[in-house]
Amino acid sequence: QTAFSILTEGGIDYSITYGNHDYTPGSPRNTELFNQYFPYENFARQKSFGGAMEVGKSDNTYYCFTVNRINYLVLSLEYNPSQETLDWANNMVKSHPEYNVIVATHGYLDGKGGWLSPSDGGEGELIWNNLIKKHSNIFMVLCGHWSNNDDPGSMTSRKDLGDNGNRVYQYMVNSQDIDVELGVTPLLIMRFFDG
């Protein structure tokens, strides 16, 4: 929370996608603790905030912004999204056809670039089939969750064509196994170029 306050104080918008370790202890799928530390109001004050699946909850949110006359929409989805969440996400993407969409969720790709299955702690293939591949304006998916043999800074990617022939770039970046005594935290920085 303290680290994120630096972004807030600097006027930098951000979104958070929570993972399986962010649930209230002993309560699977309970996000009360997540919402306590990252309340809806914090996100709703951001210039890019578009809305949430449930008003008052930070679990599933979306953000819209324009850079160099190009519109972007970021969908931040819960860990292993429910069908209700996927239905909401589909509606958000459909109702913003002029936006290039980035979907962020937690368990989506494994360490070798395959879609996670429920036995691996994710719903990657389900998310791909029920949301990602259906929309021509989704071009990227970002996730974490998986680590490669305790490799700090695990990263993998894949590229697939959606049903409309659009390329979808999918990236998994995970630094949960980093040795904090090293004082090093991997950070993925992406630069976007027109065209």
Side-chain angles (χ1 to χ4, degrees), residues 5-171:
S5 70
I6 296 169
L7 297 176
T8 303
E9 290 164 14
I12 298 171
D13 288 6
Y14 64 90
S15 70
I16 296 178
T17 300
Y18 69 85
N20 51 306
H21 294 282
D22 299 314
Y23 292 123
T24 302
S27 306
R29 305 299 266 175
N30 182 327
T31 59
E32 190 176 314
L33 194 60
F34 171 73
N35 280 277
Q36 177 186 331
Y37 283 94
F38 296 100
Y40 172 87
E41 295 76 25
N42 285 8
F43 297 105
R45 280 194 288 267
Q46 296 183 31
K47 292 180 298 241
S48 63
F49 184 75
M53 188 173 106
E54 298 173 76
V55 174
K57 289 187 80 174
S58 305
D59 299 21
N60 298 287
T61 53
Y62 76 97
Y63 307 80
C64 297
F65 56 95
T66 302
V67 178
N68 293 335
R69 299 181 308 280
I70 298 173
N71 297 323
Y72 294 95
L73 184 149
V74 174
L75 265 176
S76 292
L77 303 180
E78 65 188 351
Y79 172 60
N80 286 352
S82 66
Q83 188 57 54
E84 180 185 11
T85 300
L86 291 173
D87 291 344
W88 172 80
N90 275 299
N91 286 332
M92 291 304 100
V93 177
K94 265 191 244 174
S95 63
H96 292 82
E98 72 282 14
Y99 283 79
N100 297 284
V101 178
I102 300 170
V103 176
T105 190
H106 188 65
Y108 180 78
L109 289 182
D110 66 22
K112 294 181 180 169
W115 291 306
L116 283 176
S117 65
S119 62
D120 296 320
E123 294 284 2
E125 191 166 8
L126 183 140
I127 297 168
W128 170 260
N129 287 322
N130 290 285
L131 172 64
I132 308 300
K133 75 173 189 173
K134 295 163 81 172
H135 302 280
S136 62
N137 56 333
I138 295 180
F139 77 98
M140 184 177 291
V141 181
L142 302 172
C143 69
H145 184 67
W146 196 264
S147 64
N148 300 331
N149 301 319
D150 297 326
D151 171 26
S154 297
M155 181 175 176
T156 191
S157 65
R158 69 180 290 154
K159 179 173 55 175
D160 294 285
L161 292 179
D163 288 347
N164 300 287
N166 54 305
R167 270 194 208 106
V168 183
Y169 301 91
Q170 301 148 83
Y171 299 95

Side-chain angles (χ1 to χ4, degrees), residues 1 25 39 131 179:
Q1 186 181 20
L131 172 64
D179 184 344

